[in-house]
């Protein structure tokens, strides 16, 4: 068999069912071989889109994401998506063609390994025909065990060679038990909890990856904790009556008030970055902080930690509960009578606001709340970056952690649409909802055609303020001229129709009625061009710009 076939065979034998990419001469053989081996192929219009589709696919399903790209510019086009995937610790593989080793000159020559490493991905290489299968297996393993994107460079002179190696038996990699927490640190946490009246648990992506929901809920029940997540952990406690949603910039005012009263903060698998702790203003300076993380270096790095516990979130939570049981520590803690009722009436969408809708514009809050009511609960919400971002994050419920895909680790505009496509492919039983701004939509516009071409039953909601609203709302109040960030209105419904999708323009709640019919059919992409009032300034934005 050829090297390309050996690579394709290893991937399909490792349960790769779908992949994304853009065909060029350099990756044509690998792409075709992987497809011929049985993996479904989705052709993007830009390589960044391909990587973000693989990223969204991985986040929504916990399966490995795979993308295939041409060498040189095909690869450099992936870099923003690759940086996002690396920062978010998404396990994925980019199969990147590369020029032959030792080439003195080529238009496509660029140091791919160095570029990959610079953005935080792991560079790997197919070394030759006889090692191709083993090299591919190694790349797969590293992406999964190190939870990072791997760039597997495949030289174009090797890819068509004969390989006798074939597919190696995929080596069995026992999943190593995460290290148990040290007894001393568990005892220190129990000491704090024995004196606590108002404990809170903040769970991040690390807790979600560790499947720690049950263990954290048991701990929360034992000590009467209020539960919250970081933005990356959003959805982990969906449905729990003691959960107040996201801690940080996207908190409801009730959540901010309750979290501010905590006397012990238990962070599990959360870095406690400035978003989660609102630049240090969310928690009281008196609150004692416990940080549990697999990575010792994460503890106390971004925020203070009075007690550090090295271990995985689920194992540590169970060990803490055992210790509390042994000591007979437990109680109602923060869960006063009436707290559940207060929480159920204190979601962000329950907070009163003045509807700033006009004949021309819908208020973005009204739009999002109406969509939350209209759309099925089984959904994956994928959000791009921009001023609008808080609305879907705060007002659209998600069924669980995988139901919220948040490609904002690199805070790049333009990634949300493609990650929504990846999620739609990964979880067809869930409605994929990509929430994007007009700027982000135009930056990734080619992928609108991709979603339409595959007739993906997904929804793209464009918060169209005809502006780079984040800049307008930040610089405008300072008296700076912001015309550089304003544009004539774009008719996205017309663009959607031209691409083969359904497009509707929404200026008020009534304009959403076609969504109801579409939901019954879901036979193709629906694009909502929501003309949102550009005057509405999100409260969370002031918080966001404190870091600039
Ligand atoms: C790739 C990239 N370019 C520029 C920025 C700076 N930036 C942050 S938000 C934003 C505006 C995005 O506009 P839009 O998608 O319409 O969302 P809005 O802020 O208007 O809601 C810009 C340009 C960025 N974060 N990423
Ligand atoms: Mg905008």
């Amino acid at each position: 068999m050829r090297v390309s076939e050996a690579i394709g065979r290893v991937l399909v034998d490792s349960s790769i069912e779908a992949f994304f990419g853009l065909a060029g001469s350099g990756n044509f053989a690998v792409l075709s071989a992987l497809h011929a081996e049985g993996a479904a192929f989705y052709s993007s219009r830009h390589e960044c889109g391909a990587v973000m589709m693989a990223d969204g696919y991985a986040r929504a399903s916990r399966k490995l994401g795979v993308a295939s790209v041409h060498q040189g510019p095909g690869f450099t086009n992936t870099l923003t998506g690759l940086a996002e995937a690396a920062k978010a610790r998404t396990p994925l593989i980019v199969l990147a063609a590369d020029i032959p080793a030792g080439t003195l000159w080529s238009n496509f020559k660029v140091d791919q390994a160095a570029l990959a490493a610079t953005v935080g991905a792991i560079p790997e290489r197919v070394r030759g025909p006889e090692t191709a299968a083993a090299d591919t297996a190694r790349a797969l393993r590293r992406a999964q065990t190190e939870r990072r994107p791997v760039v597997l460079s495949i030289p174009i002179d090797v890819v068509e060679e004969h390989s006798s190696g074939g597919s190696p038996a995929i080596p069995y990699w026992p999943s190593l038990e995460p290290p148990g927490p040290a007894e001393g640190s568990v005892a220190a946490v129990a000491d704090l909890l024995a004196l606590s009246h108002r404990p809170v648990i903040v769970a991040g992506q690390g807790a979600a990856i560790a499947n720690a929901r049950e263990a954290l809920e048991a701990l929360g029940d034992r000590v009467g904790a209020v539960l919250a997540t970081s933005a990356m952990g959003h959805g982990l406690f969906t449905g729990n009556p003691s959960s107040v949603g996201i801690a940080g910039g996207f908190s409801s005012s009730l959540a901010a008030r309750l979290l501010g009263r905590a006397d012990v903060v238990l962070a599990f698998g959360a870095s406690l970055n400035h978003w989660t702790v609102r630049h240090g203003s969310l928690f009281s300076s008196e609150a004692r902080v416990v940080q549990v993380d697999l990575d010792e270096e994460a503890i106390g790095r971004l925020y203070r930690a009075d007690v550090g516990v090295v271990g995985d979130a689920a194992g540590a939570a169970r060990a803490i509960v055992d210790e509390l049981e042994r000591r007979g520590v437990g109680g109602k803690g923060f869960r006063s009578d009436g707290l559940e009722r207060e929480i159920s009436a204190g979601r962000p969408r329950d907070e009163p606001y003045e509807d700033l809708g006009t004949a021309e514009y819908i208020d973005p809050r009204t739009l999002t709340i109406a969509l939350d009511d209209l759309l099925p609960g089984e959904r994956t919400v994928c959000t791009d970056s921009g001023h609008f971002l808080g609305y879907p994050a705060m007002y659209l419920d998600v069924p669980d952690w995988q139901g919220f895909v948040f490609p904002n680790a690199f805070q790049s505009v333009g990634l949300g649409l493609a990650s929504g496509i990846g999620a739609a492919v990964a979880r067809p039983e869930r409605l994929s909802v990509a929430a994007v701004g007009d700027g982000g939509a135009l930056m990734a516009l080619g992928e609108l055609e991709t979603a339409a071409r595959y007739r993906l039953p997904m929804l793209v909601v464009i918060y169209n303020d005809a502006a780079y609203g984040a800049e307008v709302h930040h610089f405008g109040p300072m008296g700076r001229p912001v015309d550089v960030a304003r544009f004539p209105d774009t008719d996205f419904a017309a663009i959607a129709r031209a691409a083969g999708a359904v497009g509707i323009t929404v200026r008020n709640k009534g304009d959403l009625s076609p969504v109801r019919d579409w939901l019954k059919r879901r036979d193709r992409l629906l694009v909502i061009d929501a003309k949102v009032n550009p005057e509405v300034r999100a409260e969370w934005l002031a918080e966001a710009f404190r870091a600039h």
Side-chain angles (χ1 to χ4, degrees):
M1 70 171 62
R2 290 176 198 273
V3 165
S4 51
E5 291 162 333
I7 294 171
R9 181 77 50 90
V10 172
L11 290 165
V12 169
D13 284 352
S14 306
S15 311
I16 301 303
E17 293 162 5
F19 70 113
F20 307 87
L22 195 153
S25 59
N27 64 324
F28 205 85
V30 166
L31 193 153
S32 307
L34 182 51
H35 192 34
E37 289 289 335
F41 173 60
Y42 293 86
S43 184
S44 72
R45 289 301 188 181
H46 191 283
E47 287 84 354
C48 184
V51 168
M52 285 314 298
M53 289 172 203
D55 178 274
Y57 179 90
R59 293 195 207 194
S61 67
R62 288 199 170 193
K63 296 181 198 155
L64 188 80
V66 179
S68 164
V69 300
H70 186 68
Q71 68 271 30
F75 174 68
T76 56
N77 265 356
T78 68
L79 288 175
T80 303
L82 209 50
E84 168 62 32
K87 280 174 179 273
R89 305 292 301 268
T90 305
L92 66 84
I93 294 196
V94 177
L95 304 166
D98 202 356
I99 57 170
T103 303
L104 280 182
W105 186 89
S106 158
N107 289 97
F108 295 137
K109 187 169 177 175
V110 67
D111 189 342
Q112 297 192 172
L115 287 169
T118 295
V119 296
I122 300 170
E124 278 286 357
R125 192 171 176 86
V126 169
R127 292 165 297 158
E130 296 312 321
T131 62
D135 293 336
T136 307
R138 188 177 64 251
L140 272 166
R141 189 183 78 242
R142 291 196 70 186
Q144 285 162 314
T145 55
E146 297 178 41
R147 290 197 66 84
R148 275 202 286 155
V150 172
V151 175
L152 180 64
S153 284
I154 308 169
I156 53 174
D157 56 333
V158 175
V159 77
E160 300 277 23
E161 299 245 308
H162 181 75
S163 169
S164 61
S167 177
I170 296 298
Y172 173 62
W173 303 99
S175 62
L176 295 174
E177 273 295 304
E183 263 176 45
S185 63
V186 171
V189 178
D191 289 346
L192 285 182
L193 287 173
L195 300 173
S196 169
H197 302 289
R198 293 180 305 280
V200 304
I201 290 175
V202 179
Q205 176 171 248
I209 290 168
N211 273 325
R213 175 173 181 157
E214 224 173 282
L216 292 175
E217 286 180 332
L219 173 59
D221 288 345
R222 173 103 207 155
V223 296
V226 163
L227 309 179
T229 68
S230 67
M232 290 296 274
H234 184 37
L236 187 64
F237 296 129
T238 293
N240 186 307
S242 299
S243 161
V244 294
I246 300 176
F250 298 148
S251 284
S252 64
S253 50
L254 173 72
R257 189 154 48 77
L258 291 173
L259 297 174
R261 293 180 54 220
D263 57 10
V264 172
V265 177
L266 302 158
F268 285 86
S271 67
L272 297 180
N273 63 27
H274 64 70
W275 297 102
T276 307
V277 301
R278 283 198 178 181
H279 296 272
S281 69
L282 185 61
F283 300 114
S284 148
S285 57
E286 322 256 278
R288 310 296 298 275
V289 178
V290 173
Q291 194 177 356
V292 179
D293 209 289
L294 264 181
D295 177 7
E296 192 171 348
E297 285 179 21
I299 293 173
R301 193 164 80 92
L302 304 182
Y303 192 62
R304 62 198 164 80
D306 298 295
V307 177
V309 179
V310 180
D312 91 304
R318 280 193 290 267
I320 295 167
V321 169
D322 288 348
E323 178 64 13
L324 295 173
E325 264 174 21
R326 203 180 59 76
R327 297 186 187 190
V329 170
K332 272 177 79 174
F334 214 156
R335 297 187 184 174
S336 59
D337 297 334
L339 181 77
E340 287 186 7
R341 217 172 328 110
E342 216 184 332
I343 289 176
S344 74
R347 298 169 300 165
R349 59 168 285 170
D350 300 320
E351 291 182 27
Y353 65 91
E354 187 194 346
D355 188 315
L356 296 179
T358 65
E360 201 180 342
Y361 300 124
I362 188 165
D363 186 302
R365 295 160 290 194
T366 307
L367 166 75
T368 318
I369 291 167
L371 284 172
D372 192 41
D373 291 337
L374 207 53
L375 302 178
E378 275 301 306
R379 58 177 84 147
T380 313
V381 175
C382 309
T383 54
D384 206 343
S385 213
H387 163 258
F388 75 91
L389 157 64
Y391 303 121
M394 293 173 75
Y395 300 144
L396 291 182
D397 268 351
V398 293
D400 53 30
W401 173 66
Q402 284 169 28
F404 187 61
V405 174
F406 189 59
N408 279 276
F410 196 29
Q411 229 182 304
S412 171
V413 170
L415 305 183
L417 175 57
S419 61
I421 293 175
V425 171
R427 302 293 299 266
E429 79 286 8
R430 283 189 166 173
L431 177 66
S432 175
V433 182
V436 304
D438 50 307
L442 287 165
M443 207 180 271
L445 195 61
E447 307 310 353
L448 207 61
E449 188 274 341
T450 305
R453 179 166 23 97
Y454 287 106
R455 296 181 80 99
L456 293 175
M458 72 180 274
L459 171 62
V460 177
V461 183
I462 303 177
Y463 289 77
N464 184 1
D465 61 354
Y468 294 146
E471 318 309 338
V472 171
H473 292 296
H474 180 55
F475 291 105
M478 297 178 195
R480 309 277 287 271
V482 288
D483 282 353
V484 289
R486 285 205 173 112
F487 300 90
D489 178 55
T490 302
D491 185 350
F492 286 103
I495 290 176
R497 284 193 286 271
V502 182
I504 62 170
T505 305
V506 169
R507 298 178 191 276
N508 54 58
K509 271 199 326 189
D511 289 340
L512 285 170
S513 63
V515 178
R516 235 180 280 274
D517 292 333
W518 176 83
L519 280 170
K520 288 183 205 136
R521 296 192 312 272
R522 288 204 225 172
D523 57 346
R524 65 180 72 190
L525 173 71
L526 170 63
V527 176
I528 296 179
D529 179 6
K531 310 291 189 191
V532 296
N533 188 339
E535 303 296 322
V536 180
R537 182 176 195 262
E539 279 170 29
W540 74 275
L541 197 77
E543 190 61 36
F545 274 107
R546 286 175 62 178
H548 279 236

